[in-house]
Amino acid sequence: MLALLIDGQGEVVTREALRGRAWPSGTFVDFDNNLNSAVTTLRQALGDSARRPVCIETIPKVGYRLLGRVEPAVAMPPPAARAAERRGVAGTLSLLLAAACLVLAGSVWTHVPPPDSDRAATGVRVAANATARAAFARGMYLRSRFGIDANGAERLTAARDAFRDAAAADPRFADAPAEEGETLVDMAFAGALPFESGMTAARGAAERALSLEPRHPVAARVKGMTLLFLEWDFAGSRRWLDRATAGADDARTWIARATWLGAAGNADAAVQAAENAVSRDPAAWYVRADLAMFYLAAGRPASALDDARRVLEVAPEFLPARSYALLACERLGHWEEAAAHARALLRTSGASPAELDRAETLDGRAAIAVWREWQLARLETQTQGGRAASALPFARRLAAAGQREAALSSLQEAFDSRQALLVLLRIYPEFVSLQGDPVFEAISARLRAERRGTSPAAMD
């Protein structure tokens, strides 16, 4: 696709032409969704967006065209070429795409900005200089690689730094702090930063972007999510997410809406929003994994298992999807498959050979019990600042292990200490079995009624 767009040199490349190049005659696939997914993947690699493209413009119902001009670049450096030889065809293509990203983001690629009239009408401002554009593209590319290998946390950190570089190169470029905020949210959830400090930094970055562009959808989305977690402010969060949705129709915005809806207790609406997210980016397996989580929270284990399996086909070591598959199998009574997932979780999580051998000799529920026991034991050894500081993770593991009273006690501890992630009480699939219990429902009601933080709820 990138080659076709470059060959077009600014001319429209029709969807039919792309289809004809990608899929030979007689191929039966969902062309529209696959093509949309390919465009999304290419935009992510180029640090581009459909809402305000700087690389690839969508011509509705017709096709796409490359914005700017591409000129021949120098050959790939010898180390990269040697690495490509070792990796084979797939590795070569990955390196070529990475090289193309750098070319398009750097001095060899020249963006043609929209006319002033368009800029005035849309309120959109592109980066003023190539240094800012290159740093921004680098950040988008690095973040798109998160979760692909074991260096995810490092990639997120590097992406955050790249967005900061872009903002320093062009202080009026609102996209840079907005995407820095989005990256900080990812870092908080991935454990690359302490959750609350990461979300607080994300809010600061979003507010910097909003000071430059008050209706920036990414910044609005980040502001809405930080209000939900840092303040337990459902009303303020909803207003910001509504603003984000008005300006962006992408997977991340719909997942944010699904999170709000699930936290508010509307499980069916959360599923619908998560399905919308997957339809916007069918190739994003981490978005599909979130859909599996929302299916479980809505009491739809069969749908959850189907989506978790699809994620595991492409990302077998992605622990959340494996955990959702295990929970779904338990609820469906698929004990042997559940045991296989439990053994895989033990292997991936670093269990000792003795624990792995024990799980291999057991079948069904007994193998699952080994995994649950190991989870709790590891959490005990990893807990810092006392068990109360990890009351919510303990509650999740205790609920999954069927220790109902202990799980409810830990949930009460989590509420008393106002742990930020407790806002996901009605989303975490481990807690479905506790719903309806008076203690659980009382905590849920108080969570909605009591503000957690101190920042003002009203929007500017």
Side-chain angles (χ1 to χ4, degrees):
M1 178 175 294
L2 182 61
L4 280 174
L5 291 170
I6 291 173
D7 289 345
Q9 287 291 349
E11 298 297 322
V12 176
V13 180
T14 66
R15 292 176 66 88
E16 289 74 16
L18 292 168
R19 171 178 171 170
R21 175 69 68 89
W23 295 284
S25 176
T27 302
F28 298 95
V29 299
D30 185 348
F31 295 110
D32 287 334
N33 276 334
N34 277 278
L35 187 56
N36 292 341
S37 177
V39 173
T40 297
T41 300
L42 184 54
R43 281 192 169 120
Q44 288 174 343
L46 298 176
D48 200 17
S49 73
R51 189 175 74 91
R52 33 185 166 186
V54 295
C55 294
I56 300 172
E57 180 185 16
T58 300
I59 310 300
K61 299 183 179 180
V62 178
Y64 307 90
R65 73 183 182 95
L66 190 68
L67 299 173
R69 183 178 67 255
V70 179
E71 299 170 357
V74 296
M76 190 180 297
R82 289 196 296 269
E85 290 175 4
R86 290 195 299 270
R87 295 180 186 187
V89 174
T92 303
L93 291 173
S94 297
L95 286 166
L96 286 172
L97 179 56
C101 296
L102 294 175
V103 168
L104 290 174
S107 59
V108 182
W109 174 77
T110 304
H111 171 60
V112 179
D116 289 341
S117 58
D118 290 347
R119 190 174 303 177
T122 63
V124 172
R125 181 185 179 283
V126 298
N129 57 68
T131 300
R133 290 197 301 269
F136 184 81
R138 184 170 68 252
M140 295 296 285
Y141 177 75
L142 287 166
R143 195 178 68 200
S144 75
R145 306 300 292 172
F146 169 64
I148 292 177
D149 56 34
N151 299 318
E154 291 82 356
R155 292 186 189 281
L156 287 176
T157 301
R160 177 203 61 189
D161 294 343
F163 292 129
R164 289 177 176 175
D165 290 343
D170 182 359
R172 297 186 61 237
F173 183 32
D175 279 9
E179 295 296 349
E180 178 194 343
E182 185 85 342
T183 305
L184 286 162
V185 170
D186 287 348
M187 293 175 74
F189 275 102
L193 287 173
F195 187 81
E196 292 196 34
S197 62
M199 295 295 278
T200 300
R203 178 164 59 186
E207 288 171 348
R208 291 196 300 275
L210 291 166
S211 71
L212 297 168
E213 189 178 325
R215 305 197 71 83
H216 195 293
V218 175
R221 179 172 70 232
V222 173
K223 182 69 178 286
M225 293 298 285
T226 58
L227 278 175
L228 182 64
F229 287 96
L230 295 176
E231 309 291 343
W232 292 356
D233 178 5
F234 283 81
S237 174
R238 176 62 182 268
R239 289 195 294 271
W240 281 105
L241 292 177
D242 285 347
R243 180 177 291 188
T245 306
D249 183 24
D250 57 24
R252 282 180 175 259
T253 299
W254 280 106
I255 282 294
R257 290 193 69 84
T259 301
W260 188 95
L261 289 163
N266 196 337
D268 291 335
V271 164
Q272 185 174 2
E275 289 175 338
N276 286 341
V278 170
S279 72
R280 270 57 174 184
D281 194 355
W285 47 264
Y286 48 88
V287 175
R288 191 174 290 280
D290 284 345
L291 175 58
M293 175 186 69
F294 287 112
Y295 277 140
L296 284 169
R300 297 170 59 179
S303 296
L305 182 57
D306 179 61
D307 274 286
R309 284 170 174 167
R310 293 173 71 177
V311 173
L312 293 172
E313 287 177 0
V314 296
E317 295 190 355
F318 188 56
L319 296 184
R322 184 75 65 183
S323 297
Y324 302 149
L326 171 55
L327 284 167
C329 286
E330 285 184 294
R331 293 180 191 175
L332 294 167
H334 299 172
W335 298 112
E336 290 310 311
E337 183 179 347
H341 290 306
R343 296 186 194 102
L345 284 165
L346 283 165
R347 288 192 298 271
T348 307
S349 302
S352 69
E355 288 160 328
L356 290 171
D357 289 344
R358 182 182 169 209
E360 290 293 342
T361 61
L362 299 171
D363 293 326
R365 302 187 192 198
I368 299 167
V370 173
W371 161 243
R372 302 291 187 208
E373 293 167 8
W374 183 83
Q375 267 193 310
L376 281 166
R378 185 176 69 164
L379 185 58
E380 288 276 10
T381 60
Q382 292 180 340
T383 297
Q384 298 177 356
R387 178 163 176 158
S390 299
L392 184 59
F394 271 111
R396 293 179 65 188
R397 285 156 179 74
L398 289 164
Q403 300 182 41
R404 186 183 187 87
E405 295 305 317
L408 289 168
S409 178
S410 283
L411 273 180
Q412 186 63 58
E413 277 190 273
F415 181 84
D416 292 341
S417 57
R418 299 298 193 271
Q419 294 182 12
L421 283 164
L422 189 64
V423 78
L424 302 180
L425 180 68
R426 304 197 80 93
I427 294 178
Y428 285 131
E430 296 91 342
F431 294 146
V432 170
S433 63
L434 303 181
Q435 292 182 16
D437 183 282
V439 174
F440 180 91
E441 296 301 334
I443 293 172
S444 179
R446 290 178 63 194
L447 187 150
R448 287 292 308 274
E450 297 186 24
R451 290 282 305 284
R452 176 177 180 274
T454 56
S455 297
M459 294 194 302
D460 295 336

